[in-house]
Amino acid sequence: EQAEIEKIHKAAFGKTEGEEKAQVIANLVHDLFDDETAMPIHSLVAIKNETLIGHILFTKVTITDCPVEVEAQILAPLAVLPDCQSNEIGGRLIQEGSRQLKQAGTDLVFVLGHIDYYPRSGFINDAKSLGFEAPHYIPEEFAGAWMVMELTSGIIGKAKGKVACSDVLNQPQHWRE
């Protein structure tokens, strides 16, 4: 199943980002599954006619110097096969993943992603302006792409600090637009 998941990411990102970037993302997914510092991970797939067509991965993050106790995850990456895109599959994966994370006691979910897409699922643009510094520098023109979703009502405003990802995701190449 992991090989099928990697194929979804290669196909989805290959179409929009090119083969080299697609391979980097497929390698990221592969490596995150084995990264102890990413645990617990939450991996969900979308299936149509017994075929995997979408995948979303959430991994653990910590917030350094946070004044309150917070459980947080980061969504990275999300992919849907090109032929199945524009059918709200990605949105449903985000919704179901968020529901499961909330049940598991997660307070916040972060994402670095498309500024028009993720807010439709409840993410708030420019998490830095809410007190959450990204693991790596994000240029001002892309500040809106660093987003947060509140799963525990009222935690934004109480929690703040620098977000620290797993060892694998903390590599600078995953933080460049």
Side-chain angles (χ1 to χ4, degrees), residues 105-123:
T106 301
D107 301 302
L108 296 169
V109 178
F110 294 91
V111 70
L112 178 64
H114 196 281
I115 62 171
D116 296 325
Y117 180 77
Y118 288 96
R120 292 185 288 198
S121 295
F123 283 91

Side-chain angles (χ1 to χ4, degrees), residues 73-130:
Q73 296 263 319
I74 189 163
L75 186 172
L78 165 65
V80 176
L81 289 177
D83 293 348
C84 301
Q85 292 175 4
S86 302
N87 292 322
E88 298 186 21
I89 293 163
R92 285 185 278 182
L93 283 167
I94 295 169
Q95 183 179 31
E96 179 58 22
S98 301
R99 186 190 69 73
Q100 289 183 21
L101 288 171
K102 183 174 182 164
Q103 271 189 327
T106 301
D107 301 302
L108 296 169
V109 178
F110 294 91
V111 70
L112 178 64
H114 196 281
I115 62 171
D116 296 325
Y117 180 77
Y118 288 96
R120 292 185 288 198
S121 295
F123 283 91
I124 303 166
N125 294 95
D126 194 2
K128 185 176 182 179
S129 70
L130 298 171

Side-chain angles (χ1 to χ4, degrees), residues 9-26:
H9 290 279
K10 279 188 198 176
F13 288 99
K15 182 180 178 186
T16 58
E17 305 286 331
E19 293 302 315
E20 189 176 320
K21 175 79 171 180
Q23 187 61 54
V24 168
I25 293 169

Side-chain angles (χ1 to χ4, degrees), residues 15-46:
K15 182 180 178 186
T16 58
E17 305 286 331
E19 293 302 315
E20 189 176 320
K21 175 79 171 180
Q23 187 61 54
V24 168
I25 293 169
N27 291 345
L28 169 67
V29 172
H30 179 270
D31 294 346
L32 281 169
F33 279 121
D34 295 329
D35 184 351
E36 292 288 323
T37 64
M39 306 298 168
I41 65 169
H42 295 272
S43 176
L44 287 81
V45 294

